[in-house]
Amino acid sequence: MQGGAAKTRGAFATAFSLSLILAVVSGCGPSPEQIRLRRAMHEIRHELHPDYRDALVILESKRTNPNDLNEAVLYGMCQTTVAILGGDYTTAERATYDSFALVEKYENQDREILAALGDEGIRFFRGEPHERAMLWYYAGLARYARGEYNEARMFFSQALHATRTRDEDAKDFREDFQLGYYWLGRALLKRGEVDDARAAFQRAAVVLPHSTEAKEIEQIKARRRREYADELKAEKLGYEKNSQGESPVPGIVDLSQEIARAEAPATLPDAAPQSPVLRATADFNEFLTTDYQGEANLVVMIEMGTGPFKYAKGRDAAFDHIGRCPYREASVEVYIDGHRAGPGFKLLDSYHQAVTRGVETRRARQWGKAFVKEVMKSVPVGSLVAGMWSIKADLRYWPTLAGEYHAFAAKVTPGPHTLHFRFYDVNDKYLPRYDLTRHFICVPADGELVMTVHSVENQDNAYLLTAARPGQ
Amino acid sequence: MTWKVKRGRGFVPLAMGALVGWCLAGCAGETKRVDLDALTEAEVGTGLSSQDFRSVCERMARSIVQLPQIQNATTPPKVVIAEVQNETDDPLLRADNFTHRIRTRLIEHAAGKIVFLDRDDTMTERVKQENREKERGLIAGGAPGVREGADYFLTGRIENMRAVAGTGETGYYRLSFRLTDAVTQVIIWEQDYEVKKFSRRGSIYK
């Protein structure tokens, strides 16, 4: 009897497993659309060969779908990232404008009340202040690149306004959006408002660290020291293994040397005979003068790493917290036609912005709900209601935001140039796998060139390997 | 998170009631018009509303039509609308809509004491095309003449300031319009309109 029961159980388990596999294969898994959306929203920043067009198409369809109105601004944010990274500023303008109109004009008070009483994720997504500020920054950047300086000024002003948190616990950080002030200064300079531009640049120079920042940086430095040592070991091992034997990897380079930023070369091996750099600086104060910014005809925004994320804490996931995504890059040196032109200056740490917008109002609401729910759980009838009452925090966030934004500006000779970016970690150690090269960057004889690049591991390396093995 | 709570019959409804009351009172948001005008309508945010738009255009049109240069002119002065400068931080604001509304009000109520020249780019191109076709004899009509020149330009400027304090924000708008002599560049009329608003967004949003 026992053997028969075991056989039956075994057969049942097999049938169940098979049906589960069949169900997954035949349609219970993620649909192709879901996979495309996932890539567009979460992975596009880190892909070596991103399909920007496909990402824009899927995000556009989601953003404009009335059934997805609640998340329209979130899709707009992701679409903006894709458009900016892909160089499609027209789409970025449209996505940011539509999102701006929604944030400013759309209200759903019923959902607001329900969200205040229960699950906060049901509210219309407007984004956190730092996310809105970044969306308006991109909106301004897209218009600035087109020469619409007044509209750019408006959006940069909106970005600054968005970061002015109303929570009193973070009132000291209301004016700390350096990136917004820098670009507002440039837009004002273009409009001939030199005094206002100077004031904006002065504000862009003010760095306000948050209370735990020094400690966090020390922790990151210590972690990076360990990681860097491990990475060098792995590089050495990889090189030894793949450069010898029967089929060595063509084009393999030994990247196991520790190189500090102080040892960075003044010129690269393939440097042009003459430096095209007419004016560049490594001094942040000089960088933020109207004189310097007025002369610069090449402006590059360098985006690094991944922005902050949200996670749930507490019983019933009632509290939302902001976490820092780990990434290696911390600073950058720019080379033009092989000649060292200067560093990119850090203007924004997205995590810092996110954690300095205040939590006073939100925490009061979340604690209130958590307390009442706990009280209800302690009484017989109340516990039934409490079981059905969701008080989850809103965990939606802009997943493709960059971790840091660095600006490089210089005056260079007009014409085509090759830009090369060398990245360093927080301990000023060279990250060879993050090298980034952009060829045929044409600086106009009149006006300026504004461009955005973002760091991705193995970007140049992928090119080298492909070039070394033609036909594969 | 474990709390020891003394069980009491009235406590839970009281706590629930307090939470609901707090949310309804503080989370639903509130917007009100302050200072310069009486509170007449519920408005969202601190931007300009349709009521502001109508009020400012009405006021400007009334003021223009009373000008001696308009009232005492032997032939109706010809006015061209020039671009209104949007110096606010509001990209949704269509500044030229104000002058178009003022023009409409003047055409409706000034009894022909003032005429407007249509210098809209599309219209200018269409008129040129029309005249070309008349010259070629492709369409009937009188010989094309010389286009009228402007006596005055109607233009304006809109500025704003915003500030955040505590849970609310204030927005101040100043809208100024002017008529400029097309020959001498003398400003023969200028008037402004100010709006200040206070808004408090619900605590569910930061």
Side-chain angles (χ1 to χ4, degrees), chain A residues 58-368:
Chain A
I58 184 81
L59 288 167
E60 175 82 6
S61 70
K62 295 294 282 183
R63 185 175 66 80
T64 53
N65 186 346
N67 296 329
D68 294 316
L69 180 63
N70 236 21
E71 273 81 37
V73 175
L74 179 60
Y75 295 127
M77 287 172 172
C78 293
Q79 194 180 15
T80 302
T81 306
V82 176
I84 292 283
L85 295 184
D88 182 357
Y89 283 20
T90 311
T91 301
E93 276 190 44
R94 189 162 40 80
T96 51
Y97 186 86
D98 291 352
S99 302
F100 182 82
L102 271 176
V103 168
E104 289 296 307
K105 301 290 180 193
Y106 183 75
E107 279 215 351
N108 188 333
Q109 289 204 344
D110 295 340
R111 272 183 180 267
E112 281 183 35
I113 291 170
L114 287 173
L117 290 170
D119 184 350
E120 297 186 357
I122 65 162
R123 66 182 175 172
F124 172 71
F125 180 83
R126 279 197 163 91
E128 295 293 329
H130 73 281
E131 291 169 328
R132 288 198 296 276
M134 287 311 295
L135 191 57
W136 311 154
Y137 151 73
Y138 280 126
L141 190 66
R143 280 147 186 90
Y144 184 98
R146 194 161 49 87
E148 293 287 345
Y149 301 119
N150 192 36
E151 279 192 43
R153 175 194 62 78
M154 289 180 199
F155 278 108
F156 294 136
S157 300
Q158 287 288 346
L160 290 165
H161 186 69
T163 56
R164 288 183 193 123
T165 172
R166 289 159 206 185
D167 279 342
E168 289 294 309
D169 59 330
K171 63 181 178 185
D172 295 341
F173 296 96
R174 280 181 183 149
E175 301 293 334
D176 76 335
F177 193 49
Q178 290 174 271
L179 182 67
Y181 277 117
Y182 171 70
W183 278 100
L184 179 66
R186 284 203 64 88
L188 292 171
L189 208 54
K190 288 286 173 189
R191 283 164 48 89
E193 298 168 26
V194 180
D195 289 340
D196 289 342
R198 189 175 293 117
F201 288 138
Q202 279 169 0
R203 287 188 165 186
V206 178
V207 180
L208 276 175
H210 57 268
S211 59
T212 55
E213 192 160 324
K215 193 179 163 191
E216 287 168 16
I217 290 174
E218 279 312 310
Q219 286 171 346
I220 293 170
K221 280 184 173 180
R223 195 191 69 221
R224 270 304 303 160
R225 266 193 291 274
R226 291 192 299 274
E227 285 177 357
Y228 192 67
D230 290 344
E231 285 161 15
L232 292 185
K233 270 186 212 165
E235 288 288 0
K236 191 171 184 183
L237 202 67
Y239 180 73
E240 284 170 359
K241 191 177 172 189
N242 294 301
S243 60
Q244 296 157 10
E246 284 181 8
S247 54
V249 175
I252 191 165
V253 181
D254 183 7
L255 301 176
S256 66
Q257 302 303 311
E258 180 177 329
I259 302 172
R261 189 168 185 174
E263 301 162 29
T267 53
L268 297 176
D270 55 349
Q274 289 284 322
S275 171
V277 183
L278 302 174
R279 188 175 177 188
T281 184
D283 177 6
F284 192 39
N285 290 323
E286 187 192 350
F287 179 78
L288 289 174
T289 57
T290 51
D291 175 50
Y292 184 83
Q293 290 297 326
E295 276 194 35
N297 58 357
L298 173 65
V299 185
V300 188
M301 287 307 300
I302 305 143
E303 302 183 355
M304 301 177 195
T306 312
F309 62 94
K310 272 185 176 181
Y311 62 97
K313 254 191 171 180
R315 220 184 253 189
D316 305 310
F319 302 93
D320 55 335
H321 284 257
I322 289 166
R324 187 196 279 274
C325 268
Y327 49 88
R328 293 168 182 158
E329 320 90 288
S331 59
V332 61
E333 283 285 342
V334 182
Y335 289 76
I336 303 175
D337 293 343
H339 294 265
R340 189 173 171 178
F345 293 101
K346 184 161 105 174
L347 292 178
L348 186 89
D349 177 347
S350 300
Y351 172 76
H352 166 84
Q353 276 294 311
V355 295
T356 52
R357 297 310 100 192
V359 290
E360 194 179 72
T361 319
R362 186 172 43 180
R363 283 291 175 267
R365 185 179 65 240
Q366 292 172 343
W367 272 110

Side-chain angles (χ1 to χ4, degrees), chain B residues 185-199:
Chain B
Q185 280 190 270
V186 171
I187 296 172
I188 64 156
W189 167 88
E190 183 161 19
Q191 196 165 57
D192 66 5
Y193 181 95
E194 294 170 292
V195 187
K196 189 174 182 181
K197 292 181 183 181
F198 171 81
S199 170

Side-chain angles (χ1 to χ4, degrees), chain A residues 37-54:
Chain A
L37 188 63
R38 166 88 199 166
R39 284 186 70 177
M41 289 185 72
H42 293 268
E43 290 157 27
I44 200 98
R45 186 173 278 282
H46 308 289
E47 288 187 358
L48 278 178
H49 304 290
D51 189 344
Y52 291 125
R53 183 175 292 276
D54 186 63

